[in-house]
Amino acid sequence: MSTTTTYSVAGMTCGHCTSAVTEEISKLVGVQEVKIDLVAGGTSAVHVTSESALDEAAVREAVDEAGYELAAS
């Protein structure tokens, strides 16, 4: 059974931004799909479907590696 979690990511402004975040989060073990509702210059919703719940610290690190910031929930 898979689970979908929505994270808030600040700082993305374009398709390149969403690609970078998608690529880094997709590297996490168990991630099946990443969908992003881009709010250019605001806080975007990142929907992550995975085999089981992901460690938020790992997601935060992946987003940071892409050059963006996981916003406070």
Side-chain angles (χ1 to χ4, degrees):
M1 184 169 132
S2 62
T3 182
T4 300
T5 306
T6 300
Y7 300 94
S8 298
V9 177
M12 294 188 289
T13 59
C14 63
H16 178 268
C17 300
T18 61
S19 293
V21 170
T22 298
E23 180 180 341
E24 291 301 326
I25 292 176
S26 293
K27 291 179 184 177
L28 298 175
V29 174
V31 171
Q32 299 168 326
E33 181 177 41
V34 179
K35 289 185 179 180
I36 298 177
D37 296 328
L38 178 64
V39 177
T43 301
S44 302
V46 179
H47 310 283
V48 181
T49 302
S50 55
E51 295 171 358
S52 60
L54 298 173
D55 177 50
E56 187 170 321
V59 175
R60 184 176 303 279
E61 186 175 317
V63 170
D64 184 63
E65 183 65 30
Y68 304 96
E69 181 180 347
L70 195 63
S73 315

